[in-house]
Every structure is written in structure tokens, then in C-alpha cells.
Amino acid sequence: MSLDEFDVKNAPEIEPSKLDQEFERFYHNTMPHLTSQQAQMLMARIGTLELLDLSESEVVYGANFDMTVEVEGLIQSVRAMRSTVMTPGGTVRNDVTPREMKEVVTATSTLMTLLMKSHEKLMSFDRQRRLEQTTIEVLQRLSDGNLRDKSGEEIVAEFVTLMEQGLDE
């Protein structure tokens, strides 16, 4: 049997696109040298471009809803809006019109005012939720143990100890 007729063809070589090349250049040459502030700005800008589909990670409002995460997201939004009109040094970018600057300042001021007014309520809500969750966990742990051999004072002491441990975490 002769192999003369046998012809193996490799898949055609696909040249990387200029975008792929630019991404690789940025990833290998620039990203390792970013400061923490620059990395945060990059993350904020990626978020504002809506490049990622975050629909799967949507949180359903309920008992496990974390308001702190939402507030942090709002603060990131404010920073992202601000970075579209200002340089990291705090000066207005050259390509920004006074109207754009005014709109961003108004929007960020409104959002920050709302956050400041709501801060105390949000923190109280978060503390209350943590207290409730810890109480439930401690009562479950106590019910798993044998309480029949313990006096009321011993049960209360154990409850207080477990609550302190749970709230310190």
C-alpha cells in the first residue's frame, strides 16, 4: 500500500485579530503594572460598558438579600460616572463639556445624598438582620445539645457565650 495518495491537511491557520493581539499586549504588558486605583477604575469601566451578562448572578430579594452589596454597587457606580468626566487627579477631562460635567455632578451628588441619609437605617437594618440570624443559629445549636441536664442559668450562660461568638465573627 502506497502512501502517495495520502494527503493530510492541517486546519487553516487563523491569524489573530488586531483586537486579540491588542488584548494580549494589554494583558501581559500593562495589567501587571496597574496600581490598585487603576485596577479599580478598570473594573468600574468594564461594569459601565455592560460587557458581561450578569443576569445569572441576580440576587432575589428575600431573607438572604445583602443590602451592603447593593450599596457598594451604588458607590462603584458613582465612581464610574465620576471617572467618565474627571481624571484620577481630580481635574475635568478636556473632552467633557460643562453640561456633561454638570449632569454627572448632579447625579453623583443626588446619589451620595441619598446614601448619606440612608446610611444609619441601612447599618441598623444590617445589624438587626445579623442579630436575628445569629439568634436562630444559636437556638438551633442549643436545641441540638442535651439541655435536660443543665440549669436555667447554665443554659443562659451558654446562650450568651454562643451569641458573643456568633456576633464577633
Side-chain angles (χ1 to χ4, degrees):
M1 175 177 208
S2 168
L3 296 177
D4 294 337
E5 307 272 327
F6 189 71
D7 187 18
V8 176
K9 293 184 179 179
N10 289 334
E13 276 192 41
I14 300 173
E15 269 190 57
S17 72
K18 288 191 179 215
L19 180 61
D20 290 337
Q21 289 174 348
E22 189 63 25
F23 172 78
E24 289 299 322
R25 183 197 63 74
F26 177 75
Y27 180 78
H28 292 288
N29 298 337
T30 304
M31 284 186 66
H33 305 289
L34 293 177
T35 65
S36 177
Q37 182 182 9
Q38 291 169 330
Q40 287 176 345
M41 285 175 44
L42 179 62
M43 292 299 294
R45 288 184 181 175
I46 287 172
T48 59
L49 292 174
E50 297 178 1
L51 296 174
L52 303 173
D53 180 19
L54 301 176
S55 60
E56 291 180 14
S57 66
E58 287 183 21
V59 178
V60 177
Y61 186 74
N64 294 325
F65 181 77
D66 190 351
M67 186 60 77
T68 306
V69 172
E70 295 302 315
V71 170
E72 287 171 357
L74 289 173
I75 292 170
Q76 285 179 348
S77 298
V78 167
R79 289 180 179 156
M81 285 183 357
R82 187 175 53 214
S83 71
T84 63
V85 296
M86 296 179 79
T87 65
T91 60
V92 178
R93 295 185 184 277
N94 294 332
D95 59 338
V96 175
T97 66
R99 180 183 174 138
E100 289 173 315
M101 185 64 186
K102 179 182 182 262
E103 288 173 358
V104 169
V105 167
T106 301
T108 57
S109 295
T110 302
L111 186 53
M112 290 307 293
T113 301
L114 174 65
L115 285 174
M116 288 177 2
K117 285 181 181 177
S118 304
H119 180 76
E120 184 179 348
K121 290 178 185 175
L122 290 172
M123 292 297 107
S124 295
F125 173 76
D126 197 42
R127 287 183 191 114
Q128 180 67 33
R129 196 171 123 243
R130 177 122 171 97
L131 182 63
E132 289 171 355
Q133 288 174 335
T134 303
T135 303
I136 291 168
E137 290 169 9
V138 167
L139 290 174
Q140 287 173 340
R141 286 174 62 187
L142 287 173
S143 68
D144 291 343
N146 189 356
L147 298 178
R148 287 177 245 188
D149 299 335
K150 295 185 179 183
S151 70
E153 288 181 20
E154 291 174 318
I155 294 171
V156 169
E158 189 172 345
F159 175 81
V160 169
T161 301
L162 290 173
M163 284 295 288
E164 287 173 348
Q165 290 172 356
L167 294 172
D168 283 342
E169 293 175 355

